[in-house]
Amino acid sequence: MNSTSRSAIARCLSVCMLLGSLTAAPLHAAEPPRPKLVVAIAIDQFSSDVFTEYRPLYQAGLKRLASGAVFPKGHQSHASTETCPGHSTILTGARPARTGIIANDWQDPLLPRTVNGKETFTLYCVEKPEPAGSVVDKTVVSPDSLLVPTLGDRMKARDPATRVVSVAGKDRSAVMLGGHNADLALWWTQTGFATYDGKESSIPEEIADKINANLRKSYGSPSVLKLPAACASRSRETRLTDNISIGTLQNLPASSKRWRATPAMDAFTVDAALAAVKSFNLGGKGATDLLAVSFSGTDYAGHYYGTEGAEMCTQQLALDQSIGRLLAGLDKTGIPYVVAMTADHGGIDTTERNKQRGVAEAARIDTNLLAANVNAILEQELPDLPKPVVLGPKEFANDVYLNAAIPAGRRAGALHAVAQYYRNHPQIAAVFTKDELIAAAPPSGPVDEWTLLQRAKASFNAQRSGDLIVLLKPYISLYQLPKNVDSDYTASHGSPWGYDRRVPLVFWWKGIVGFEQPVAVETVDLAPTLAKIIGLDVPAGEFDGRALPVVQP
């Protein structure tokens, strides 16, 4: 072989090797790094419908995350699609039936207490339960009601050097994501980010002083909002009452509860999260750490204004920028991190706008389904029973509890009468008794095809759930027309229907080869997926979910 031939072959081999390396690079990049920091993002009331609608408009953080492994048909699989149950599934890998977090609030008929001068049987999901007969002036926030460990709890059990930080707009969100042993759990209050009683010294100085001062100033000042150009076509007024309308961006007075639905809410959450990352040097030491961030602004925007209109559009574009700032701040650390994003539940638009857009079933709840009115009617039919016949909050709740004072020999008859009352109501889709749910098999099969019984079973905990589970028909809002422009909600969630159950699941890391998988999955799949990525072994049967394939084959 002459020198010319040898030279040509060498050049060919060099080119082939270069092409081979270029071809192999994306496959190598698809493998997740062994991260030093796991970042879990929950967006309150971020349905798959909202994600899909606004996805073309995202330009920053949500656009980056949407370039990863996207599961647009994720599900909060249970029936009671509220904030606390939904957040309880995200980092536990367990459904509410196992986490014990069956609702934001539930009744305990055997635990009468006096709270703020009134007798109550209501337990808040992150309230430290006091003994029966207690007189409580202030409820104490605690993770005690969560019956299973979170991913952070498991990481700390494997390596005590692991640090876990959760930051959220709501206390129940921070507690459910942070778990039982978080190094720092922060949630918004009107006076600044707070934490558990007795743990105030864990709040970084930058948050306690500078960020909280800025937060108080923002909350205590009028909110002047600017409509993004991309939202102009969505700015259309819908009048709900003579003095309350939605659909167009409106400035707010100082100290308005609706401040929580402005971009400021999520922006301060990012400020606090980044300050915590810096203070705790998350990901900067030997162990793998966890940062959980829950953004609440979308939920408040949805409740006050509905899922459409200029308000939600403005919120989504601002959220995109806030998440972009969070990711940019993490980039600056140089620490390899993995992000998982999902939501605690979805939501529906206001009844009035749904009607305008052709949803014939849209209606506001009949007040005869509220516990006080149910009791007024039942007490006429069952005058000799202890009063009230059923325990319940002011608003409608899926769980209905009989008064524990009803004699054992009368309970079956009372339960039958209550069940029949609900079953005869035209706004009720299904009623299940506790015995029916105990006997029902655990849900299985494609989550988007589960029956109502299976969805209720995923929410049902025999020690905490009601004597009856009552489910509304689709498009029934939990709220009456608002009366107070500052505080009353106009749109709801909490149902077993797809618009409340469907949420996106997204995984991202630097160098990921993105793809989209439209098969229905569950939020309980998020924790097992992250556990697999960080090499955390969890005994079989302790997760309700499974590890998703987040690397392109």
Side-chain angles (χ1 to χ4, degrees):
M1 183 181 297
N2 59 38
S3 60
T4 302
S5 299
R6 284 194 295 270
S7 177
I9 291 172
R11 286 196 300 272
C12 179
L13 288 173
S14 298
V15 170
C16 291
M17 290 174 65
L18 175 60
L19 290 174
S21 66
L22 291 174
T23 302
L27 295 177
H28 178 72
E31 295 295 333
R34 191 58 88 178
K36 299 304 296 178
L37 179 63
V38 173
V39 181
I41 295 176
I43 302 175
D44 205 319
Q45 201 182 140
F46 189 53
S47 68
S48 292
D49 299 333
V50 169
F51 175 62
T52 300
E53 178 178 353
Y54 289 99
R55 191 169 172 182
L57 299 183
Y58 298 142
Q59 296 296 321
L62 287 168
K63 181 177 181 179
R64 189 201 295 200
L65 296 181
S67 69
V70 178
F71 298 83
K73 289 180 63 177
H75 284 74
Q76 289 285 1
S77 54
H78 49 276
S80 185
T81 48
E82 294 185 323
T83 296
C84 212
H87 275 84
S88 82
T89 70
I90 292 172
L91 286 180
T92 64
R95 302 178 186 121
R98 192 190 296 228
T99 69
I101 307 301
I102 60 169
N104 286 345
D105 307 272
W106 57 87
Q107 308 297 307
D108 188 336
L110 300 178
L111 194 64
R113 296 163 301 136
T114 300
V115 178
N116 297 325
K118 294 182 180 181
E119 185 182 54
T120 182
F121 296 90
T122 301
L123 276 174
Y124 180 41
C125 63
V126 292
E127 172 186 350
K128 188 175 184 64
E130 301 291 343
S134 298
V135 177
V136 181
D137 295 324
K138 176 189 174 184
T139 57
V140 176
V141 177
S142 164
D144 289 359
S145 291
L146 181 62
L147 301 179
V148 295
T150 61
L151 182 68
D153 292 331
R154 294 180 186 277
M155 292 167 66
K156 289 180 78 71
R158 178 179 71 172
D159 186 348
T162 290
R163 282 144 304 170
V164 174
V165 170
S166 65
V167 182
K170 300 178 183 179
D171 53 6
R172 55 187 177 270
S173 307
V175 172
M176 289 297 118
L177 295 179
H180 299 89
N181 300 298
D183 297 274
L184 176 67
L186 287 177
W187 52 85
W188 175 88
T189 71
Q190 294 179 9
T191 58
F193 284 98
T195 190
Y196 298 115
D197 288 353
K199 296 290 186 68
E200 290 83 2
S201 62
S202 66
I203 301 178
E205 183 177 347
E206 182 181 354
I207 298 174
D209 296 336
K210 179 181 177 182
I211 292 175
N212 278 350
N214 290 337
L215 190 157
R216 289 190 293 270
K217 181 178 179 181
S218 176
Y219 183 79
S221 303
S223 297
V224 179
L225 305 175
K226 182 179 180 181
L227 182 69
C231 297
S233 64
R234 291 172 165 84
S235 183
R236 299 178 183 177
E237 183 182 34
T238 295
R239 189 156 291 280
L240 303 182
T241 67
D242 289 342
N243 64 334
I244 299 178
S245 66
I246 58 171
T248 60
L249 211 58
Q250 301 174 25
N251 294 331
L252 302 174
S255 303
S256 168
K257 290 185 177 181
R258 295 195 176 201
W259 178 92
R260 298 173 295 177
T262 71
M265 178 73 160
D266 292 338
F268 278 107
T269 301
V270 170
D271 291 344
L274 290 176
V277 168
K278 178 181 177 182
S279 177
F280 283 83
N281 191 19
L282 294 184
K285 295 184 178 179
T288 300
D289 297 328
L290 172 67
L291 171 68
V293 184
S294 178
F295 293 100
S296 300
T298 298
D299 184 65
Y300 289 116
H303 278 308
Y304 284 128
Y305 310 114
T307 58
E308 301 297 326
E311 304 95 341
M312 182 58 78
C313 183
T314 301
Q315 161 61 20
Q316 284 302 297
L317 298 192
L319 174 66
D320 175 43
Q321 293 298 318
S322 289
I323 293 178
R325 188 160 60 86
L326 174 65
L327 299 181
L330 295 174
D331 291 341
K332 289 179 181 178
T333 67
I335 295 165
Y337 65 94
V338 168
V339 181
M341 181 194 77
T342 190
D344 56 345
H345 54 75
I348 55 170
D349 201 16
T350 59
T351 299
E352 291 69 28
R353 201 154 46 202
N354 274 332
K355 285 183 175 179
Q356 290 174 358
R357 295 181 174 180
V359 182
E361 304 90 344
R364 293 190 175 274
I365 194 166
D366 183 349
T367 56
N368 283 330
L369 288 173
L370 306 183
N373 293 331
V374 170
N375 277 317
I377 294 169
L378 289 174
E379 286 164 9
Q380 295 178 15
E381 298 179 14
L382 306 167
D384 56 339
L385 286 182
K387 298 176 177 57
V389 177
V390 298
L391 308 178
K394 291 181 179 179
E395 297 171 352
F396 177 84
N398 293 333
D399 289 86
V400 176
Y401 301 77
L402 289 186
N403 189 335
I406 296 175
R410 302 290 306 280
R411 291 186 68 81
L415 185 65
H416 176 77
V418 176
Q420 283 303 113
Y421 175 81
Y422 283 108
R423 287 184 177 124
N424 290 336
H425 195 284
Q427 288 188 339
I428 297 301
V431 177
F432 302 112
T433 67
K434 176 175 282 191
D435 288 343
E436 287 174 325
L437 287 163
I438 289 173
S444 61
V447 64
D448 55 340
E449 297 181 8
W450 284 5
T451 65
L452 287 181
L453 177 62
Q454 290 176 306
R455 299 173 201 191
K457 178 74 172 183
S459 282
F460 178 76
N461 179 278
Q463 282 69 49
R464 293 179 178 174
S465 293
D467 295 291
L468 297 174
I469 304 297
V470 180
L471 304 179
L472 294 169
K473 287 182 178 178
Y475 296 102
I476 305 297
S477 173
L478 295 182
Y479 306 123
Q480 292 296 294
L481 280 169
K483 297 178 181 179
N484 187 322
V485 70
D486 182 60
S487 60
D488 287 352
Y489 288 163
T490 69
S492 68
H493 54 79
S495 81
W497 305 107
Y499 49 76
D500 281 343
R501 297 173 78 224
R502 289 189 303 269
V503 296
L505 266 72
V506 177
F507 298 87
W508 181 92
W509 57 83
K510 186 176 181 180
I512 188 173
V513 176
F515 66 92
E516 191 153 328
Q517 172 53 277
V519 170
V521 298
E522 296 185 64
T523 55
V524 294
D525 297 331
L526 187 145
T529 304
L530 290 176
K532 182 177 180 181
I533 288 174
I534 64 175
L536 177 66
D537 292 328
V538 176
E542 293 194 7
F543 285 140
D544 289 328
R546 63 187 177 92
L548 298 173
V550 293
V551 177
Q552 279 279 46

